[in-house]
Every structure is written in C-alpha cells, then in structure tokens.
Amino acid sequence: TKKINFAGYGKYDFKDGIYHETFIYHNNPKYVGGEDWQNLIVLGDTMYLNGFNKIMVEGKDVTAGWTKVKEKLIRVK
C-alpha cells in the first residue's frame, strides 16, 4: 500500500537489560502515551531485542495475545 501501518517513536530508557519506551508519536493515535518493555542485550557490535514483555495502551495491559518479536541489529562499520 506504500503506507506505514504501525510505527511510532518516543522516549526510552535502558536499565538491567530491559528497554522501556513511551510513545510520544504514533501513526495510530490510541498508542500515543503507550508503553512497551523488551529484553535487550548488547554483545560487541550486535544488539538483540526480544519482546514484548509488557505493552500498555490507553492505560490497559494488552500484552496477552500480542505478537512476539525478536530483532538482531548489527552495527556496520
């Protein structure tokens, strides 16, 4: 469709292997203010994200039934 279906960004923190993001923008307005938590590990030039541990939307926990995501990001020199 050449259209973004689901994308957002926001502020985040990273502590004790947990990445936590709060969306300040999202193409779906109900997700603005929403939050997610993921496991994050950095090994050398590679970052592994494994989520989602918890997802909050409009003040409600919607984690159950949410798609699980694994990402592997490698820094290119």
Side-chain angles (χ1 to χ4, degrees), residues 1 12 22 62 70:
T1 63
Y12 67 91
T22 302
V62 297
K70 290 187 177 192

Side-chain angles (χ1 to χ4, degrees), residues 2 11-12 17 22-23 26 30 35-36 38 41 43 50 53 55 58 60-61 64-66 69-71 74-77:
K2 296 184 180 182
K11 60 183 180 174
Y12 67 91
T22 302
F23 294 102
H26 202 284
K30 80 176 194 175
E35 302 172 77
D36 75 62
Q38 301 181 55
I41 298 169
L43 298 172
N50 187 4
N53 299 349
I55 300 172
E58 297 180 318
K60 297 176 189 150
D61 186 338
W66 197 268
V69 175
K70 290 187 177 192
E71 290 184 76
I74 301 170
R75 180 172 61 178
V76 177
K77 297 179 181 180

